Amino acid sequence: MERWEPSTSTQERARVAPPRVVRPAGDRRAVWANAILAAGGRAGIGLALIGSRVVPLPALVQAGLSVFVLLALLLGTFRAWRTGWPAWGTVWLMDFATLTLLTPVLVWNGFVASGPARMMAAERRAYLETILAAFVLLVLLGGVAGWIGGRRVGLAGILLLPAVLQAPALVPALTDYRDATVFVALAGVYLLSALATGAAWLAPSAWRLWLAPLAAVVYLIVLLLGPGLGALTQRPAPVSGFHPLLIAFGLVLVAAAPLFGVRGRPVVSGPRPHWPRRARARRRPAVEERSDVAEVGPTSERWR
């Protein structure tokens, strides 16, 4: 019996892309790169917040620092999306969402809460609306952190740490609510989060679950030992009643955020896979079943 075998052309071989070299998940260089980018991004946010209102820089430079931070986070998130969502990209995405959604609400809430000891009806309504929006945004950010960080052990709590610490950080500023005090408080949150983020990547996976709640508890203990949270006792009833609830809710959320994650799915790392276009199926040349046919068409397709 003779059978016909099609020839493999050079063009068909060229269509097959060579396999990309992907570092394994446990590669120490990849771990250090993720730690430096994730922690460095948060440290950069903290330094930019300090420079935008505290350091004596030209007004145009101070105003441009905040815009530069947001653009850098947005571009970094887009870069992470193009390269297969490395772990540092999820940190930058959460920081961008926190700064654009939650931070303006909390800053405005603190401004209303720092007013006179006796609130007017409009001020009380504005405070209740912003505190309710802060609760809703914390739940939303907690769900997003659990979704994008749930496949990596302990990452969800680290992602949510700056969002949780902003409300207690602004409490000491209620007695002196100025741009400098607000920005310094927010900068301290991101610098502490940068330390916890770097430690989370270098620590064992079993310890990573406890780093974010431990950092939040230590930060609150420091505020309690100082005159920080004591400012709530000098505020009117809505502030002294709802602000502790918001702080406690944030602590519960940062501890429970890993439970919201998507389990059982593999960790996606490395560059995005490249799927070559499907080549069109070529028709085999019609060949008569004759034993004396040696060649068909321009290529040397032979009967054997």
Side-chain angles (χ1 to χ4, degrees):
M1 293 293 294
E2 296 180 350
R3 60 189 180 88
W4 176 81
E5 294 182 356
S7 64
T8 304
S9 62
T10 308
Q11 294 180 354
E12 291 177 348
R13 293 176 182 174
R15 287 195 187 97
V16 181
R20 297 186 180 183
V21 179
V22 180
R23 292 179 180 176
D27 188 0
R28 295 302 299 175
R29 290 179 297 176
V31 172
W32 275 96
N34 269 301
I36 291 173
L37 286 172
R42 290 185 164 177
I45 294 173
L47 294 177
L49 289 173
I50 292 176
S52 59
R53 287 297 181 272
V54 179
V55 180
L57 296 173
L60 185 61
V61 177
Q62 289 181 343
L65 279 176
S66 301
V67 178
F68 173 76
V69 167
L70 293 178
L71 287 178
L73 289 174
L74 186 60
L75 292 176
T77 303
F78 180 73
R79 174 62 180 170
W81 175 75
R82 292 292 302 271
T83 55
W85 279 119
W88 65 266
T90 59
V91 178
W92 287 42
L93 174 62
M94 277 298 298
D95 289 345
F96 178 78
T98 301
L99 285 173
T100 54
L101 296 177
L102 182 64
T103 303
V105 173
L106 288 178
V107 170
W108 179 251
N109 177 266
F111 174 75
V112 176
S114 64
R118 185 175 181 180
M119 282 186 170
M120 300 177 64
E123 294 174 340
R124 188 178 297 106
R125 184 171 59 253
Y127 175 81
L128 293 177
E129 289 175 354
T130 51
I131 202 72
L132 178 61
F135 273 103
V136 173
L137 287 174
L138 275 179
V139 173
L140 176 63
L141 292 175
V144 173
W147 175 258
I148 65 178
R151 289 175 292 175
R152 297 179 174 92
V153 178
L155 183 58
I158 294 295
L159 292 176
L160 200 58
L161 191 59
V164 168
L165 292 183
Q166 286 186 18
L170 291 176
V171 171
L174 295 180
T175 56
D176 184 22
Y177 208 80
R178 295 178 294 111
D179 289 347
T181 55
V182 170
F183 276 69
V184 167
L186 295 177
V189 167
Y190 277 97
L191 292 177
L192 176 62
S193 300
L195 292 176
T197 304
W201 256 268
L202 303 179
S205 300
W207 297 2
R208 203 178 301 162
L209 286 169
W210 306 99
L211 278 175
L214 181 62
V217 169
V218 169
Y219 188 78
L220 289 179
I221 290 176
V222 172
L223 290 179
L224 286 172
L225 293 178
L229 295 180
L232 290 177
T233 59
Q234 306 171 10
R235 296 290 89 202
V239 180
S240 60
F242 284 99
H243 241 75
L245 290 179
L246 182 64
I247 296 172
F249 179 73
L251 280 178
V252 174
L253 196 62
V254 77
L259 302 179
F260 302 154
V262 181
R263 301 297 176 187
R265 296 173 61 184
V267 177
V268 179
S269 60
R272 295 173 64 89
H274 173 70
W275 303 103
R277 293 184 177 179
R278 242 176 133 181
R280 294 182 179 178
R282 295 185 176 182
R283 295 181 179 178
R284 293 183 179 181
V287 180
E288 298 180 0
E289 295 182 0
R290 292 173 51 186
S291 59
D292 57 345
V293 177
E295 295 183 2
V296 178
T299 58
S300 58
E301 298 164 347
R302 304 179 181 275
W303 292 85
R304 295 179 181 178

